[in-house]
Amino acid sequence: MQIHLTDDFDAAKIAQSGQCFRWYPRPNGQCRVIAGNRTVLMEQTAPDTLFLHNVCSKDVSFWHTYLDFDRNYADIRANIDPHDQYLTQAAQYGQGIRILQQDSWEMLITFLLSQRKSIPAIQKSIEALCRSAGTPIDQDETGLLYAFPTPEQLANLDTTTLSACGLGYRLPYIQQAAQRVAQNPSWFDSLALQSDEELLQSLLSFYGVGTKIAHCVMLFGFHRLDAFPKDVWIHRVLDAHYPNGYPFARYAPYNGILQQYLFFFGRTAKLP
C-alpha cells in the first residue's frame, strides 16, 4: 500500500525517538515494525511517500490510527513561540516524529522493563518475552515474528523463564503486572475512560511504576498528548534552557509532542 504523506513523517526519526522498541530499521531503508499482533514492512522512499508492504485491507485503518495520521503535526509546530529558540530548533530537528498510538498493555510492560537499560538491551528483553509467550504472527528472513504476549500469556510464564529474558530486578514488576491485569481483563479498558490525573494515579499503583514511567505509558500507550515524561535528557534540557520554568500552560494539550522534540534533540544532537 502506498501512502501520500501530507504532514510530518520520518520513519527513521520515529524509530530513534524512544517511544517504540519493535521498530527495526534495515540497511536498505526499510523498517520492520511489529505492533501488538500485527507486523508491517515500512519503506519511506521520499519525504512524501510511504509504502506499507504486505498489508491486509482489514489492517489499513489500524496502521492509519497507529501512525496518528488524523493529527496535523505541522500545525502544532507552527504554534511554538518563535522567541523560544531552543524549542524551535528542537522541533525543526525532530520534524517527522509522531506519537504512535500503541497498545497500553504493551507500553506498561515495555517501560517497566526499560528502567536502566540501553535501547538494544530493552529490545533484546522484549523479543525474548515475545518468543517465550507470544503467538507467532509472521515470518521473515530473520525467522518467526511474534505478537506481544497478552497478560494471560505473560502471567503463565514461570520465574525461571522470565529470568532468562534478562529482566533482572524488574522481574517482579513484570510478573505482578501480568498477574494483576490477567485477573482483571477489562481493567485497561476502564483506565482509558479515566481523566489524566485519575489515570496517573492508577498507573502509579502498579509495583515498579514511578512518575516517569507512568507518564511514558500515558503518552505512548494511552495517547494522552499532554503527558510530559522527564528522564535524564529532559531534566538536562529543562535545567539548561528553562531555569525559570517550562511554559506548560502555553502548549497544552500537546506538551507530550513537544517533549519528544526536546528528547530527540537533546539525546541525538548533543548540543549544549
Side-chain angles (χ1 to χ4, degrees):
M1 179 179 71
Q2 180 178 348
I3 298 173
H4 176 66
L5 301 169
T6 58
D7 188 34
D8 298 357
F9 186 88
D10 190 311
K13 290 180 183 178
I14 293 172
Q16 300 175 57
S17 65
Q19 62 175 304
C20 50
F21 299 96
R22 304 194 79 190
W23 282 50
Y24 294 99
R26 297 179 170 188
N28 63 1
Q30 295 179 335
C31 185
R32 168 63 68 184
V33 176
I34 308 173
N37 61 358
R38 293 175 174 86
T39 182
V40 70
L41 192 60
M42 187 179 298
E43 183 177 14
Q44 187 170 2
T45 57
D48 64 349
T49 305
L50 177 68
F51 286 93
L52 300 180
H53 296 289
N54 302 320
V55 172
C56 301
S57 58
K58 64 182 178 64
D59 285 340
V60 170
S61 62
F62 169 85
W63 293 109
H64 182 94
T65 299
Y66 174 80
L67 296 170
D68 203 29
F69 277 152
D70 286 330
R71 196 173 316 279
N72 191 307
Y73 282 67
D75 284 351
I76 295 169
R77 287 189 297 103
N79 188 49
I80 293 173
D81 182 352
H83 296 102
D84 189 334
Q85 296 182 1
Y86 189 83
L87 182 54
T88 298
Q89 191 176 9
Q92 291 173 344
Y93 186 84
Q95 180 179 344
I97 293 175
R98 307 180 75 83
I99 305 297
L100 304 172
Q101 296 203 37
Q102 301 180 84
D103 179 75
S104 52
W105 159 250
E106 182 174 342
M107 290 300 97
L108 174 63
I109 298 303
T110 293
F111 283 98
L112 272 173
L113 66 80
S114 73
Q115 300 174 68
R116 299 181 182 276
K117 271 182 175 282
S118 66
I119 289 178
I122 296 168
Q123 291 179 314
K124 184 176 180 180
S125 288
I126 290 172
E127 295 306 329
L129 282 176
C130 293
R131 286 193 302 272
S132 297
T135 302
I137 54 173
D138 204 347
Q139 186 170 353
D140 65 7
E141 70 281 0
T142 67
L144 287 174
L145 304 174
Y146 293 85
F148 195 84
T150 66
E152 295 78 11
Q153 288 173 323
L154 204 50
N156 286 331
L157 289 185
D158 58 50
T159 300
T160 301
T161 304
L162 282 171
S163 181
C165 294
L167 304 184
Y169 70 86
R170 308 156 200 84
L171 191 153
Y173 305 162
I174 306 300
Q175 197 168 45
Q176 290 193 29
Q179 292 170 351
R180 181 176 177 181
V181 180
Q183 292 168 6
N184 300 276
S186 63
W187 198 57
F188 264 61
D189 292 333
S190 66
L191 291 185
L193 301 176
Q194 294 182 342
S195 68
D196 285 0
E197 184 55 38
E198 290 170 336
L199 177 58
L200 175 62
Q201 295 307 315
S202 293
L203 292 171
L204 288 172
S205 72
F206 278 92
Y207 182 42
V209 173
T211 303
K212 181 254 183 176
I213 291 177
H215 278 110
C216 284
V217 179
M218 289 176 66
L219 180 59
F220 305 130
F222 287 91
H223 214 61
R224 303 299 177 92
L225 296 180
D226 214 32
F228 194 91
K230 296 178 183 178
D231 71 341
V232 62
W233 296 103
I234 291 296
H235 278 297
R236 289 175 185 173
V237 166
L238 296 180
D239 290 345
H241 300 281
Y242 300 94
N244 298 319
Y246 183 81
F248 291 103
R250 187 193 194 287
Y251 295 121
Y254 298 120
N255 280 295
I257 293 175
L258 302 186
Q259 184 270 0
Q260 278 286 272
Y261 297 144
L262 292 171
F263 171 82
F264 183 73
F265 187 54
R267 186 171 69 91
T268 62
K270 295 183 173 60
L271 295 179

